[in-house]
């Protein structure tokens, strides 16, 4: 069987989209910001805050350091230079309890589950080892992929729209350093993965349409490949075509 192009697109794009969305979900770079901090004077109170996160700085070691803060759905990180130190921890506090973050977490997990289920159904429906695909099963898988894409897009949109306000009310780092947070790499992985999921799902849904076999001019009710006049031709191989 020659697999329809729409099915090929679906079973190629959807897994790529799933991998990208999964990568975005587990990485802590949904938002990121950096600031140069003084280790003396009014900003010295930051040193005690860094020690509470397991990042000890010797007094007088440096006059200023570059702090890079990044947050994801399940993990946050602080990176400093100099020295080159990085520390990550599970999200906690106001950020973890923020309803918009929890909404993004739930939508992302649901999206991953639906897309994975859709890929399984698509593989069963396409079944390249058979002459006839199960077009209804493949189209159902495509529908689940489209729903998964919409859920991940909703999660990304909610997070991006509220990015600079998530869990930062009264946060000491933001108040004393004026840390400006912006979108980071994980968001771009998520957007790209969602688009690929949508393309794969729509392609599989289009494969639901039954193709038409060419008919025999002498016998309109028969496919052209079984036309009686073709049976009299010598040295011709006859192939059975299933649609």
């Amino acid at each position: 069987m020659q697999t329809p192009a729409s099915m090929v697109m679906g079973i190629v794009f959807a897994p790529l989209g799933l991998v990208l969305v999964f990568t975005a979900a587990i990485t802590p770079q949904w938002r990121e910001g950096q600031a140069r901090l003084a280790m003396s004077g009014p900003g010295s109170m930051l040193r005690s805050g860094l020690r509470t996160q397991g990042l000890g700085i010797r007094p007088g070691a440096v006059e200023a350091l570059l702090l890079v803060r990044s947050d994801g759905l399940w993990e946050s990180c602080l990176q400093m230079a100099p020295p080159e130190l990085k520390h990550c921890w599970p999200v906690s506090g106001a950020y973890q309890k923020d309803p918009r973050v929890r909404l993004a977490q739930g939508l992302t997990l649901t999206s991953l589950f639906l897309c994975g289920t859709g890929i399984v159904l698509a593989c069963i429906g396409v079944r390249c080892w058979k002459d006839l695909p199960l077009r209804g099963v493949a189209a159902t898988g495509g529908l689940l992929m489209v729903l998964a894409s919409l859920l991940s897009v909703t999660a990304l949109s909610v997070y991006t729209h509220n990015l600079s306000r998530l869990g930062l009310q009264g946060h000491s780092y933001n108040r004393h350093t004026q840390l400006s947070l912006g979108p980071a790499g994980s968001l771009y992985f998520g957007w790209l993965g969602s688009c690929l999921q949508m393309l794969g799902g729509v392609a599989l849904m289009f494969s639901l349409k039954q193709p038409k076999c060419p008919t025999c001019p002498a016998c309109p009710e028969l496919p052209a490949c079984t036309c009686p006049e073709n049976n009299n031709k010598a040295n011709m191989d006859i192939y059975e075509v299933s649609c």
Side-chain angles (χ1 to χ4, degrees):
M1 182 195 75
Q2 184 179 2
T3 305
S6 58
M7 288 187 176
V8 174
M9 289 180 59
I11 60 178
V12 170
F13 286 164
L16 289 177
L18 177 64
V19 170
L20 289 173
V21 174
F22 178 75
T23 301
I26 64 175
T27 51
Q29 281 83 34
W30 281 57
R31 67 178 184 182
E32 188 175 80
Q34 59 182 353
R36 187 163 295 277
L37 310 176
M39 296 302 293
S40 60
S44 61
M45 62 186 303
L46 179 65
R47 185 182 292 111
S48 59
L50 294 175
R51 286 199 181 105
T52 62
Q53 299 294 342
L55 297 174
I57 300 296
R58 291 184 303 163
V62 291
E63 295 182 356
L65 57 82
L66 180 65
L67 174 68
V68 179
R69 166 71 182 267
S70 59
D71 294 305
L73 292 183
W74 284 276
E75 191 177 44
S76 297
C77 292
L78 276 177
Q79 184 174 2
M80 294 184 300
E84 294 293 338
L85 296 174
K86 185 176 183 179
H87 180 64
C88 297
W89 64 93
V91 294
S92 58
Y95 180 79
Q96 180 189 26
K97 297 176 182 178
D98 194 300
R100 294 161 295 191
V101 175
R102 299 176 71 88
L103 176 63
Q105 291 174 339
L107 291 176
T108 302
L109 289 177
T110 306
S111 171
L112 291 173
F113 174 77
L114 288 179
C115 188
T117 305
I119 291 174
V120 172
L121 290 178
C123 292
I124 296 174
V126 172
R127 58 174 194 172
C128 299
W129 60 93
K130 296 288 187 178
D131 289 336
L132 295 176
L134 301 175
R135 297 180 180 275
V137 176
T140 302
L143 178 61
L144 291 180
M145 294 174 193
V146 171
L147 293 176
S149 174
L150 293 176
L151 290 178
S152 58
V153 166
T154 302
L156 291 163
S157 300
V158 170
Y159 193 98
T160 303
H161 181 70
N162 302 283
L163 184 144
S164 61
R165 301 187 295 272
L166 294 173
L168 290 181
Q169 292 80 3
H171 199 288
S172 60
Y173 293 155
N174 193 59
R175 184 172 65 249
H176 294 292
T177 67
Q178 299 300 317
L179 185 65
S180 179
L181 294 169
S186 296
L187 282 180
Y188 302 121
F189 279 115
W191 286 111
L192 179 58
S194 299
C195 292
L196 290 177
Q197 287 178 352
M198 178 66 72
L199 289 175
V202 170
L204 283 168
M205 291 176 66
F206 276 126
S207 69
L208 180 63
K209 184 178 180 181
Q210 186 81 10
K212 295 182 180 179
C213 291
T215 58
C216 173
C219 306
E221 70 278 3
L222 297 177
C225 53
T226 59
C227 186
E229 63 183 18
N230 290 336
N231 297 330
N232 298 325
K233 295 183 180 180
N235 301 325
M236 177 177 292
D237 293 331
I238 304 299
Y239 297 93
E240 181 181 359
V241 176
S242 300
C243 296

